[in-house]
Structures are given as structure tokens and as C-alpha cells.
Amino acid sequence: FDGSASASICSGHGSCNGDGTCTCAAGYRGSDCSKHCPGHVDGAADSTVCSSNGTCGADGTCTCAAGYRGSDCSKHCPGHVDGAADSTVCSSKGTCSSAGACTCSPGYRGSDCSKHCPGHVDGAADSTVCSSKGTC
């Protein structure tokens, strides 16, 4: 392969090996070096990818560290503390969605699931919520 073929085969982000495979430059992924993870900046260390909250896979997608969400690992739910288990997320009364928002367990509400509906008792049916005269 000549230099121009190497540049086009490896998307200009790697070098072509004698067997027709690419060796990708730092930060680039894929068989043709055309993929990179969110946050990649040419010439910068890979520490900037995935918002520094995850790792970049061979397919150019981020695998987020515990507590982080989103395609670039920049989102986290209320209550997230770096290095802590996800049990503190959403006040332990809900789950964290892929968008970084809490989905509250029945009887709880609020952006962090810290508010409970009047009359709610953990483990009980919500029939007593709002004195059985409304919805929460």
C-alpha cells in the first residue's frame, strides 16, 4: 500500500499494516480507525473521553463508571457520590435512568425521590395515600 491508500483505508487516523489492517492513532477505534468516543480531541490523552467518567470501547462507545449515565457519561442522578455505591442515588427510593433522572418507587416523588406522598407507608399498598381521596 502506498501512503495515500493507507490514509484512506485507515480514515486518516492510523497506519495501514502490511496485512491490510489498521493500527489506529490514540483515541481512534474500529477496524478502519473511523470511530472515537465522545470527548475525544486529536492530540489529547484519552483521559478526556467519556467525560473522564468512563472508558472508550473498541466500537467507539462509552462504558460509564458506576453512577454515571449518558452516551458521554456526563450525567448522574441526584445523590450520586464518586466512589460510593449507587445505593445513595435517588435517595435510595428510586432508580437512575440512562438520561440521569430518577424514576421514583411508588409513593415517592421529587427529582431525587426524597418526598413521599401523604399517607404513604413503605411496603404497604398506596390505598391510604392522600387519605384515599386523591392521587400523588
Side-chain angles (χ1 to χ4, degrees):
F1 293 104
D2 65 19
S4 63
S6 176
S8 65
I9 290 172
C10 299
S11 304
H13 303 295
S15 58
C16 185
N17 301 318
D19 62 359
T21 61
C22 295
T23 299
C24 300
Y28 286 91
R29 310 285 194 272
S31 61
D32 64 351
C33 303
S34 64
K35 298 177 182 355
H36 60 85
C37 277
H40 170 77
V41 176
D42 279 341
D46 261 1
S47 64
T48 58
V49 300
C50 303
S51 304
S52 301
N53 298 319
T55 57
C56 185
D59 61 354
T61 61
C62 294
T63 299
C64 302
Y68 288 94
R69 309 288 192 269
S71 62
D72 64 352
C73 302
S74 65
K75 297 177 169 112
H76 59 85
C77 276
H80 169 76
V81 177
D82 278 340
D86 263 356
S87 63
T88 58
V89 172
C90 302
S91 303
S92 302
K93 303 295 183 192
T95 57
C96 187
S97 74
S98 62
C102 292
T103 301
C104 301
S105 299
Y108 290 89
R109 60 187 168 88
S111 63
D112 64 354
C113 302
S114 65
K115 298 178 173 120
H116 62 85
C117 299
H120 172 75
V121 177
D122 277 344
D126 277 347
S127 62
T128 59
V129 171
C130 302
S131 301
S132 300
K133 302 203 184 325
T135 58
C136 184

